[in-house]
């Protein structure tokens, strides 16, 4: 499960919307071993493409060194898909090189709907995990979990049994 | 000749968990061969079967990406620091999709020229 502050999710979605229709990418660093994403670092997409993203290698060296100096690690690595669902492509899987990271995907295909999903990708195996968004000032034990890209705007609150 | 090499998390299984190891070599290729003699399997994760640097990793000598320094032929000096990072890349357009589109447009091109030929025949 990925637990992440609402303010960071909002910043990631804003970055993805801003760069749409190109794919956006970045990192959320957190204290090493904490599994807590704390510091949002939007990165340049060196590919500047609607279907591919690639960190600029020099920017990545700078950011990774900075994390090392601060005893942080990349807790979340995110990117957007701009016309398709928020699910890892084969390219995403073959490149996934941070076994401890949560791979967060944002789809910007629907302008009004927030579609966020999180995955672990280890040795080519993709495992989806729930995303728990921590709302400010809300008892964390009362927060709902969202999965499969649902957000409060799209959750169907009607009772089943139709 | 000692060169410090920083190993990313994903490759630390080859170095017994060590974050930094030392090696020797006049070029990056030599250094990787030297490292592989003590950390068997490491080189295969960095160099392809055809002897090129793998696309899934970034290797830096001091502050430079080795792709701009001659890749595996990059010259090394005593006291240099080599950093290995996993390249971060991906995107919606999978290799499979790219291949399918290329095939599709090749097929479309063939259809177009066939149609052109039949028009010309008329």
């Amino acid at each position: 499960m990925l637990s992440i502050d609402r303010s960071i999710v909002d910043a990631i979605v804003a970055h993805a919307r801003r760069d749409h229709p190109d794919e956006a990418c970045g990192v959320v660093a957190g204290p090493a071993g904490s599994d807590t994403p704390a510091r949002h670092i939007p990165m340049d997409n060196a590919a500047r493409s609607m279907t591919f993203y690639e960190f600029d290698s020099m920017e990545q060296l700078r950011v990774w060194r900075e994390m090392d100096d601060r005893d942080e690690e990349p807790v979340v690595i995110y990117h957007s898909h701009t016309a398709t669902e928020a699910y890892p492509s084969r390219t995403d899987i073959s490149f996934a090189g941070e076994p401890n990271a949560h791979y967060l995907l944002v789809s910007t295909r629907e302008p009004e709907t927030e579609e966020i999903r999180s995955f672990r990708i280890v040795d080519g195996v993709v495992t989806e995990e729930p995303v728990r968004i921590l709302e400010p000032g809300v008892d964390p034990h009362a927060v709902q979990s969202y999965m499969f890209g649902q957000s409060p705007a799209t959750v169907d609150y009607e009772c089943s049994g139709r | 000749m000692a060169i410090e090499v920083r190993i990313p998390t994903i490759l630390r299984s080859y170095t017994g968990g060590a974050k930094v190891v030392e090696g020797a070599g006049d070029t990056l290729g030599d250094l990787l061969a030297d490292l592989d003699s003590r950390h068997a399997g490491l080189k295969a994760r960095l160099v392809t079967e055809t002897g090129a640097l793998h696309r899934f990793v970034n290797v830096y000598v001091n502050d430079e990406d080795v792709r701009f320094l001659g890749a595996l032929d990059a010259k090394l000096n005593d006291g240099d620091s080599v950093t290995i990072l996993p390249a971060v890349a991906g995107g919606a357009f999978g290799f499979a999709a790219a291949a399918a589109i290329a095939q599709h447009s090749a097929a479309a091109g063939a259809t177009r020229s066939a149609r052109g030929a039949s028009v010309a025949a008329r």
Side-chain angles (χ1 to χ4, degrees):
Chain A
M1 158 128 80
L2 169 66
S3 296
I4 184 167
D5 283 347
R6 164 55 67 189
S7 59
I8 296 174
V9 171
D10 287 350
I12 290 171
V13 171
H15 178 207
R17 297 264 186 235
R18 199 161 60 235
D19 285 9
H20 183 91
D22 283 350
E23 292 194 3
C25 54
V27 175
V28 188
S34 71
D35 203 31
T36 303
R39 191 165 65 91
H40 174 219
I41 310 164
M43 304 280 288
D44 279 343
N45 176 1
R48 293 191 196 288
S49 159
M50 296 192 281
T51 52
F52 193 72
Y53 82 96
E54 187 169 29
F55 283 7
D56 174 80
S57 68
M58 295 316 293
E59 183 182 30
Q60 189 190 349
L61 178 66
R62 201 167 61 241
V63 167
W64 255 244
R65 275 202 183 143
E66 192 179 76
M67 284 193 282
D68 222 32
D69 291 346
R70 299 166 62 124
D71 204 19
E72 290 174 333
E73 62 187 0
V75 178
V76 170
I77 294 176
Y78 72 88
H79 75 281
S80 61
H81 285 177
T82 59
T84 54
E85 66 172 333
Y87 192 85
S89 67
R90 280 172 62 177
T91 321
D92 294 333
I93 297 163
S94 46
F95 271 98
E98 291 286 358
N100 298 330
H102 301 266
Y103 284 87
L104 191 74
L105 273 96
V106 180
S107 175
T108 54
R109 60 181 168 173
E110 298 287 348
E112 304 299 332
T113 312
E114 192 177 279
E115 190 181 339
I116 295 166
R117 294 165 75 174
S118 182
F119 305 86
R120 294 289 193 166
I121 309 177
V122 180
D123 293 332
V125 178
V126 178
T127 312
E128 181 156 17
E129 59 180 0
V131 179
R132 186 170 72 151
I133 298 178
L134 306 172
E135 304 289 346
V138 173
D139 175 2
H141 300 293
V143 166
Q144 301 173 49
S145 295
Y146 305 116
M147 204 170 174
F148 303 119
Q150 289 185 326
S151 67
T154 58
V155 170
D156 184 355
Y157 287 107
E158 277 181 43
C159 295
S160 56
R162 290 175 249 183
Chain B
M1 185 161 118
I3 294 158
E4 178 194 88
V5 184
R6 303 185 77 83
I7 305 291
T9 311
I10 196 166
L11 298 179
R12 286 180 202 157
S13 52
Y14 297 96
T15 60
K19 208 171 158 178
V20 179
V21 296
E22 285 204 344
D26 293 332
T27 64
L28 180 62
D30 294 346
L31 173 72
L32 296 183
D34 175 56
L35 290 179
D36 204 62
S37 66
R38 271 162 287 124
H39 310 290
L42 184 63
K43 190 182 165 193
R45 295 295 299 270
L46 305 172
V47 178
T48 64
E49 283 174 10
T50 54
L53 198 58
H54 228 297
R55 182 154 164 54
F56 303 127
V57 289
N58 291 335
V59 181
Y60 307 86
V61 175
N62 301 324
D63 291 330
E64 297 270 1
D65 186 333
V66 297
R67 288 192 176 89
F68 303 111
L69 299 173
L72 292 171
D73 297 327
K75 295 273 178 289
L76 298 176
N77 293 302
D78 200 9
D80 277 346
S81 169
V82 169
T83 303
I84 304 169
L85 293 182
V88 183
F93 213 172
F95 293 135
I101 297 270
Q103 248 169 11
H104 176 260
S105 47
T111 312
R112 252 195 315 276
S113 49
R115 206 181 294 138
S118 70
V119 168
R122 244 179 262 154

